Amino acid sequence: MVNQSVELFEQELSHGLVRARGITKSFGEGDTKIPVLKGVDLDVAKGEVLFLVGPSGSGKTTLLSVIAGILESDEGEVRILGESIHDLSAAEKTCFRRDHLGFIFQQYNLLPTLTAVENAAVPLFIRGMKKMEAIGRAEEVLKTMGMGERLKAVPSKLSGGEQQRVAIARALVGEPQLLLCDEPTASLDGETGHRVVEQLCEVGKHPDRAVIIITHDSRIFEFGDRIVHMEDGQVGQIQQGQEDPI
Ligand SMILES: Nc1ncnc2c1ncn2[C@@H]1O[C@H](COP(=O)(O)OP(=O)(O)O)[C@@H](O)[C@H]1O
Ligand SMILES: [Mg+2]
């Protein structure tokens, strides 16, 4: 208990937003058991934009899912804002995610019967914001992404790139403290992707917020503070970005 308090205090002092220690995760059982995360440590500071890169199958999506509390690790601990997310009950976890986290998944997970703007407003509806206000905010974010003409379209009428932008707007609209993005520019053309990444990285300029972005797109590295390489379930080389203030 005392140790835990000291750790919390240290994390507070170090401006840590994410602190992952000794994360392991396997899929399957017995002979077919595949270790995917093999003891990952990762810290993300407030105000940081971190790119997570590495070959396909190296465990990037699995790590992001563990950090988000969507997937339970086998061993290790993840603290976000000092809170050990895996110790929270299901209801507490839902509230914690609603209040602090934003996700952009590889699958966009849009609700098929809602329009683009309604989909983007979902996190605000869940927080109990009045419908008109929520729609207004979602509209603003979508317009900054060149989606002003597509607000009323349902997902099946949108292209892959448009659906991706709705998913990004949905992650941004609630102004989460921690934004987790899994290949957010995969379906976007160069120019749109560039603009969207700039918007995502803006989040990390805020002193209390941070962004983790999984990407293969080396053109966007200039926007980050740090690049973390994953290889075979482990976090390897860590590169400091050129603009690191330290
Ligand atoms: N739900 C799952 N069940 C079984 N194997 C999985 C599951 N999710 C991921 N894997 C396996 O874990 C490994 C790492 O996957 P992933 O984290 O998606 O890697 P990356 O995002 O770096 O491409 C892959 O070999 C993948 O097949
Ligand atoms: Mg992946």
Side-chain angles (χ1 to χ4, degrees):
M1 199 56 199
V2 170
N3 276 346
Q4 196 178 352
S5 307
V6 169
E7 268 199 23
L8 282 179
F9 183 61
E10 280 175 354
Q11 181 170 2
E12 201 48 48
L13 275 184
S14 66
H15 306 290
L17 210 161
V18 179
R19 180 185 170 94
R21 287 291 175 274
I23 303 298
T24 66
K25 178 73 187 171
S26 300
F27 290 111
E29 295 286 329
D31 288 349
T32 59
K33 191 166 166 178
I34 309 167
V36 172
L37 299 177
K38 301 176 180 172
V40 173
D41 296 339
L42 185 68
D43 289 287
V44 185
K46 290 178 184 168
E48 189 167 41
V49 176
L50 187 146
F51 287 115
L52 190 57
V53 304
S56 184
S58 56
K60 304 181 297 296
T61 297
T62 306
L63 178 59
L64 215 65
S65 306
V66 168
I67 290 173
I70 295 164
L71 207 58
E72 196 86 34
S73 64
D74 298 335
E75 296 167 319
E77 184 185 56
V78 177
R79 284 185 180 277
I80 300 176
L81 296 163
E83 196 76 62
S84 174
I85 41 169
H86 293 291
D87 290 344
L88 300 177
S89 70
E92 287 168 337
K93 221 185 271 186
T94 304
C95 289
F96 188 81
R97 281 206 211 104
R98 179 194 68 195
D99 295 338
H100 302 292
L101 305 190
F103 315 96
I104 302 165
F105 298 106
Q106 273 170 308
Q107 320 84 337
Y108 312 127
N109 297 334
L110 300 178
L111 297 167
T113 57
L114 299 188
T115 63
V117 71
E118 287 166 344
N119 263 291
V122 162
L124 302 179
F125 294 151
I126 293 172
R127 286 185 196 172
M129 189 182 282
K130 292 220 171 66
K131 186 168 180 194
M132 290 299 284
E133 192 185 349
I135 294 283
R137 285 213 198 169
E139 210 172 288
E140 269 174 42
V141 179
L142 280 169
K143 281 180 179 165
T144 65
M145 297 179 163
M147 288 286 291
E149 306 292 310
R150 309 295 284 135
L151 298 173
K152 300 259 169 69
V154 290
S156 60
K157 301 284 182 212
L158 298 171
S159 72
E162 287 171 336
Q163 290 181 45
Q164 189 159 37
R165 277 179 280 172
V166 175
I168 292 168
R170 182 184 55 190
L172 285 171
V173 77
E175 303 191 334
Q177 262 182 293
L178 177 62
L179 185 58
L180 304 168
C181 317
D182 199 349
E183 304 199 20
T185 58
S187 305
L188 303 180
D189 64 73
E191 198 187 318
T192 312
H194 204 268
R195 208 154 9 107
V196 163
V197 168
E198 275 184 309
Q199 270 175 301
L200 297 176
C201 293
E202 276 298 309
V203 172
K205 296 213 175 102
H206 191 287
D208 284 329
R209 301 173 71 190
V211 192
I212 305 177
I213 302 175
I214 296 177
T215 186
H216 290 292
D217 189 353
S218 58
R219 292 169 306 178
I220 66 179
F221 288 166
E222 61 181 294
F223 297 111
D225 297 307
R226 196 153 58 108
I227 302 169
V228 169
H229 291 262
M230 268 199 93
E231 183 103 39
D232 193 22
Q234 285 175 319
V235 164
Q237 189 191 349
I238 294 178
Q239 255 169 260
Q240 297 293 332
Q242 290 163 348
E243 291 176 9
D244 197 296
I246 298 166

